[in-house]
Amino acid sequence: MLVRFDTEWIKRKMVLSRSTARLLVLTAFYTLFLLIGASIFSAIEGPKEVERIKRLKTIRNRFLSKHNCSVAKELDDFLEQVLEAYRSGVTVTANATMEPNWSFGQSLFFAATVITTIGYGHVTPLSESGKMFCIVFAILGIPLTLILLTAFVERLMVPSTLFLQFLNSRLGHLYQPFNIRVFHLSIIATLVITIFFLVPAIIFAAIEPGWDFLDALYYCVISLTTIGLGDYVPGDWPGQPYRLLYKICITGYLLVGLTFMMLMLTVFYDIPQLNFGLFFLLRSDEHTMDPEKMCLHGGARIGPKYNPQIDEPIRESIRVKPRPGDLSSPEDGRP
């Protein structure tokens, strides 16, 4: 028996495999980029933080040894040193474990917040070289993050579109296409809110000391909208168990959560009736749109306007050569 192979189907599968391979390579490169950035941040900022902690400990011990005859100026200097160090994420208290802020887990978390533009600001580079590297790392990492998240959103749009087609096949005879698309958006928004806001809020409220459900939900919303105020940061309490693993998990949560947030916004903007930005366009803006979009949206004529003489149809004189039998006409009266 001869087996016929569909060459077009094979070609499509090969193209899909190549695109999947490219996406995997991009994901691996992004992960490597993030790990290298975390290692460099840890190597640059770690010694600087240790030096600042030692200096703060020395000031603290000197203050404690002189507390019986302390001077107001010494107390003010000590408080200024404490506040300055606290703004950089360094603290020295009696009940603190003094785990460094620039360990690999903390550096990975910091690197992720930089290139995702969340930027909590609770930990900042201390050295000049760290600040310079942070600038370069952000300039390279932010576009890379956008490319990677966009690639994942394009992949997620495939099952999302299939689900929309399924809804159209089941509900198309009952509802208008706009209503079905809004229902489709509502389902995706419900899943995103449940999986990436409500469930993580419950988990953070159970793990983080001093956080209730509202605090945890507030952190999730502020983080996944890339506002990143930095007033609530998980994993920074003294004595946090499995801090490295915890920070890595939070980094993964932020990246995956941002991807699905972009998916939800993409589905929203795919509904023309909900693209409210079109209502704020001026009439002059309609003539300066992208020519390809103009052709797709209305088939409008793109190009310069010509004068009437050129637009008028060209008249041509056409001479018809008569056939031999048509030389005589009935009006001639000839036989």
Side-chain angles (χ1 to χ4, degrees), residues 240-281:
Q240 176 72 49
Y242 306 105
R243 186 187 298 270
L244 174 61
L245 180 61
Y246 190 33
K247 288 289 186 178
I248 294 176
C249 292
I250 296 172
T251 303
Y253 159 72
L254 293 177
L255 292 174
V256 176
L258 288 175
T259 303
F260 278 87
M261 285 289 291
M262 291 180 61
L263 172 66
M264 184 174 64
L265 293 177
T266 302
V267 174
F268 175 81
Y269 282 115
D270 277 347
I271 304 177
Q273 294 86 343
L274 297 182
N275 194 352
F276 300 108
L278 297 177
F279 294 101
F280 299 97
L281 288 178

Coordinates of all heavy atoms in Angstrom, one line a residue, residues 240-281:
Q240 N 13.9 34.3 57.3 CA 13.1 33.8 56.3 C 13.6 32.4 55.9 O 14.8 32.3 55.4 CB 13.0 34.7 55.1 CG 12.2 34.1 53.9 CD 10.7 34.1 54.2 OE1 10.1 35.1 54.7 NE2 10.1 33.0 54.0
P241 N 12.9 31.3 56.1 CA 13.4 30.0 55.7 C 13.4 29.8 54.1 O 12.5 30.3 53.5 CB 12.5 29.0 56.3 CG 11.2 29.8 56.5 CD 11.6 31.2 56.7
Y242 N 14.4 29.1 53.6 CA 14.5 28.8 52.2 C 14.4 30.1 51.4 O 13.7 30.2 50.4 CB 13.5 27.8 51.8 CG 13.4 26.5 52.6 CD1 12.4 26.3 53.5 CD2 14.4 25.6 52.4 CE1 12.4 25.2 54.3 CE2 14.4 24.4 53.2 CZ 13.4 24.2 54.1 OH 13.4 23.0 54.8
R243 N 15.2 31.1 51.8 CA 15.1 32.4 51.1 C 15.4 32.3 49.6 O 14.8 32.9 48.8 CB 15.9 33.4 51.8 CG 15.8 34.9 51.3 CD 16.8 35.8 51.9 NE 16.7 35.8 53.3 CZ 15.9 36.7 54.0 NH1 15.3 37.6 53.3 NH2 15.8 36.7 55.3
L244 N 16.5 31.6 49.3 CA 16.9 31.4 47.9 C 15.8 30.9 47.0 O 15.4 31.4 46.0 CB 18.2 30.6 47.8 CG 18.7 30.3 46.4 CD1 19.0 31.5 45.6 CD2 19.9 29.3 46.5
L245 N 15.2 29.7 47.5 CA 14.2 29.1 46.7 C 12.9 30.0 46.7 O 12.3 30.1 45.6 CB 13.8 27.7 47.3 CG 12.7 26.9 46.7 CD1 13.1 26.6 45.2 CD2 12.4 25.7 47.5
Y246 N 12.6 30.7 47.7 CA 11.5 31.5 47.8 C 11.6 32.7 46.8 O 10.7 33.0 46.1 CB 11.3 32.1 49.2 CG 10.1 32.8 49.5 CD1 8.9 32.5 48.9 CD2 10.1 33.9 50.4 CE1 7.7 33.1 49.2 CE2 8.9 34.5 50.7 CZ 7.7 34.2 50.1 OH 6.5 34.9 50.3
K247 N 12.8 33.3 46.7 CA 13.0 34.4 45.8 C 13.0 33.9 44.4 O 12.4 34.6 43.5 CB 14.4 35.0 46.1 CG 14.4 35.9 47.4 CD 13.6 37.1 47.2 CE 13.8 38.0 48.5 NZ 13.0 39.3 48.4
I248 N 13.5 32.7 44.1 CA 13.4 32.2 42.7 C 11.9 32.0 42.3 O 11.5 32.3 41.2 CB 14.2 30.9 42.6 CG1 15.7 31.2 42.8 CG2 14.0 30.2 41.3 CD1 16.6 30.0 42.8
C249 N 11.2 31.4 43.2 CA 9.7 31.2 42.9 C 9.0 32.5 42.7 O 8.1 32.6 41.8 CB 9.1 30.4 44.1 SG 9.7 28.7 44.2
I250 N 9.3 33.5 43.5 CA 8.7 34.8 43.3 C 9.1 35.4 41.9 O 8.2 36.0 41.2 CB 9.0 35.8 44.4 CG1 8.5 35.3 45.8 CG2 8.5 37.2 44.2 CD1 9.0 36.0 47.0
T251 N 10.3 35.3 41.5 CA 10.8 35.7 40.2 C 10.0 35.1 39.1 O 9.5 35.7 38.2 CB 12.3 35.5 40.1 OG1 13.0 36.1 41.1 CG2 12.8 36.0 38.7
G252 N 9.8 33.8 39.2 CA 9.0 33.0 38.2 C 7.6 33.5 38.2 O 7.0 33.6 37.1
Y253 N 7.0 33.7 39.4 CA 5.6 34.2 39.4 C 5.5 35.6 38.8 O 4.5 35.8 38.0 CB 5.2 34.3 40.9 CG 4.1 35.2 41.2 CD1 2.8 34.9 40.8 CD2 4.3 36.5 41.8 CE1 1.7 35.7 41.0 CE2 3.2 37.3 42.0 CZ 1.9 37.0 41.6 OH 0.9 37.8 41.9
L254 N 6.4 36.4 38.9 CA 6.3 37.8 38.3 C 6.4 37.7 36.8 O 5.6 38.3 36.1 CB 7.4 38.7 38.8 CG 7.4 39.1 40.3 CD1 8.6 39.9 40.7 CD2 6.1 39.8 40.6
L255 N 7.3 36.9 36.3 CA 7.5 36.7 34.8 C 6.2 36.1 34.2 O 5.7 36.6 33.2 CB 8.7 35.9 34.5 CG 10.1 36.6 34.8 CD1 11.2 35.6 34.6 CD2 10.3 37.9 34.0
V256 N 5.7 35.0 34.8 CA 4.6 34.3 34.2 C 3.3 35.2 34.4 O 2.5 35.3 33.5 CB 4.3 33.0 34.9 CG1 3.1 32.3 34.4 CG2 5.5 32.1 34.7
G257 N 3.2 35.9 35.5 CA 2.1 36.8 35.7 C 2.0 38.0 34.7 O 1.0 38.3 34.2
L258 N 3.2 38.5 34.4 CA 3.3 39.6 33.5 C 2.9 39.1 32.1 O 2.2 39.8 31.3 CB 4.7 40.2 33.4 CG 5.1 41.1 34.6 CD1 6.5 41.5 34.5 CD2 4.2 42.3 34.7
T259 N 3.2 37.9 31.7 CA 2.9 37.3 30.4 C 1.4 37.2 30.3 O 0.8 37.6 29.3 CB 3.5 35.9 30.3 OG1 4.9 36.0 30.4 CG2 3.2 35.3 28.9
F260 N 0.7 36.7 31.3 CA -0.8 36.6 31.2 C -1.5 37.9 31.4 O -2.6 38.0 30.8 CB -1.2 35.6 32.3 CG -1.1 34.1 31.9 CD1 0.1 33.5 32.1 CD2 -2.1 33.5 31.3 CE1 0.3 32.1 31.7 CE2 -2.0 32.2 30.9 CZ -0.8 31.5 31.1
M261 N -0.9 38.9 32.0 CA -1.4 40.2 32.0 C -1.4 40.8 30.6 O -2.4 41.4 30.1 CB -0.7 41.1 32.9 CG -1.0 40.9 34.4 SD -2.6 41.4 34.9 CE -2.4 43.2 34.7
M262 N -0.3 40.6 29.9 CA -0.2 41.0 28.5 C -1.2 40.3 27.6 O -1.8 40.8 26.7 CB 1.2 40.8 28.0 CG 2.2 41.7 28.6 SD 3.9 41.5 27.9 CE 3.6 41.9 26.2
L263 N -1.4 39.0 27.9 CA -2.4 38.2 27.1 C -3.8 38.8 27.3 O -4.6 39.0 26.3 CB -2.4 36.7 27.6 CG -3.5 35.9 27.0 CD1 -3.4 35.7 25.5 CD2 -3.5 34.5 27.7
M264 N -4.2 39.1 28.5 CA -5.5 39.7 28.8 C -5.7 41.0 28.1 O -6.7 41.3 27.5 CB -5.7 39.8 30.3 CG -7.1 40.3 30.7 SD -7.3 40.3 32.5 CE -6.1 41.6 33.0
L265 N -4.6 41.9 28.1 CA -4.7 43.1 27.4 C -4.8 43.0 25.9 O -5.5 43.7 25.2 CB -3.5 44.0 27.8 CG -3.4 44.5 29.2 CD1 -2.1 45.2 29.5 CD2 -4.6 45.3 29.6
T266 N -4.1 41.9 25.4 CA -4.2 41.7 23.9 C -5.5 41.3 23.5 O -6.1 41.7 22.5 CB -3.1 40.6 23.6 OG1 -1.8 41.0 23.9 CG2 -3.1 40.3 22.1
V267 N -6.2 40.4 24.3 CA -7.5 40.0 24.0 C -8.5 41.2 24.1 O -9.4 41.3 23.3 CB -8.0 38.9 24.9 CG1 -9.4 38.5 24.8 CG2 -7.1 37.6 24.7
F268 N -8.2 42.0 25.0 CA -9.1 43.2 25.2 C -9.0 44.1 24.0 O -10.0 44.6 23.4 CB -8.7 44.0 26.4 CG -9.4 45.3 26.6 CD1 -10.6 45.3 27.2 CD2 -8.8 46.5 26.3 CE1 -11.3 46.5 27.4 CE2 -9.4 47.7 26.5 CZ -10.7 47.7 27.0
Y269 N -7.7 44.4 23.5 CA -7.6 45.3 22.4 C -8.0 44.7 21.0 O -8.1 45.4 20.0 CB -6.1 45.8 22.3 CG -5.8 46.8 23.3 CD1 -4.9 46.6 24.3 CD2 -6.4 48.1 23.2 CE1 -4.6 47.6 25.3 CE2 -6.1 49.1 24.2 CZ -5.2 48.8 25.2 OH -4.9 49.8 26.1
D270 N -8.1 43.3 21.0 CA -8.6 42.7 19.8 C -10.1 42.9 19.5 O -10.6 42.6 18.5 CB -8.3 41.2 19.8 CG -6.9 40.9 19.4 OD1 -6.2 41.8 18.9 OD2 -6.4 39.8 19.6
I271 N -10.8 43.5 20.5 CA -12.2 43.8 20.3 C -12.3 45.2 19.9 O -12.1 46.1 20.6 CB -13.0 43.6 21.7 CG1 -12.8 42.2 22.2 CG2 -14.5 43.9 21.5 CD1 -13.4 41.9 23.5
P272 N -12.7 45.4 18.6 CA -12.7 46.8 18.1 C -13.6 47.8 18.9 O -13.3 48.9 19.0 CB -13.2 46.6 16.6 CG -12.9 45.2 16.3 CD -13.1 44.5 17.6
Q273 N -14.8 47.3 19.3 CA -15.7 48.1 20.0 C -15.2 48.6 21.3 O -15.7 49.6 21.9 CB -17.0 47.4 20.2 CG -17.8 47.1 18.9 CD -17.4 45.8 18.3 OE1 -16.3 45.3 18.7 NE2 -18.2 45.3 17.4
L274 N -14.2 47.9 21.9 CA -13.6 48.3 23.2 C -12.3 49.1 23.0 O -11.7 49.5 24.1 CB -13.4 47.1 24.1 CG -14.6 46.3 24.4 CD1 -14.2 45.1 25.3 CD2 -15.6 47.1 25.1
N275 N -11.9 49.3 21.8 CA -10.7 50.1 21.6 C -11.1 51.6 21.6 O -11.3 52.2 20.6 CB -10.1 49.8 20.2 CG -8.7 50.3 20.1 OD1 -8.2 51.1 20.9 ND2 -8.0 49.9 19.0
F276 N -11.2 52.1 22.8 CA -11.7 53.5 23.0 C -10.8 54.5 22.5 O -11.1 55.7 22.4 CB -12.0 53.7 24.5 CG -13.1 52.8 25.1 CD1 -12.7 51.7 25.9 CD2 -14.4 52.8 24.7 CE1 -13.6 50.9 26.5 CE2 -15.3 52.0 25.2 CZ -15.0 51.0 26.1
G277 N -9.5 54.2 22.3 CA -8.6 55.2 21.8 C -9.0 55.7 20.4 O -8.6 56.8 20.1
L278 N -9.8 55.0 19.6 CA -10.2 55.5 18.3 C -11.2 56.6 18.5 O -11.3 57.5 17.6 CB -10.9 54.3 17.6 CG -10.1 53.1 17.2 CD1 -10.9 52.0 16.5 CD2 -8.9 53.5 16.4
F279 N -11.9 56.8 19.6 CA -12.8 57.9 19.8 C -12.1 59.2 20.0 O -12.7 60.2 19.9 CB -13.7 57.6 21.0 CG -14.6 56.4 20.8 CD1 -14.4 55.2 21.3 CD2 -15.8 56.6 20.0 CE1 -15.2 54.1 21.1 CE2 -16.6 55.5 19.8 CZ -16.4 54.3 20.3
F280 N -10.8 59.1 20.3 CA -10.0 60.4 20.6 C -9.2 60.8 19.4 O -8.4 61.7 19.5 CB -9.2 60.2 21.8 CG -10.0 59.9 23.0 CD1 -10.1 58.5 23.5 CD2 -10.5 60.9 23.8 CE1 -10.9 58.2 24.6 CE2 -11.3 60.6 24.9 CZ -11.4 59.2 25.3
L281 N -9.3 60.1 18.3 CA -8.6 60.5 17.1 C -9.2 61.7 16.4 O -10.4 61.7 16.3 CB -8.5 59.3 16.1 CG -7.6 58.1 16.5 CD1 -7.6 57.0 15.5 CD2 -6.1 58.6 16.7

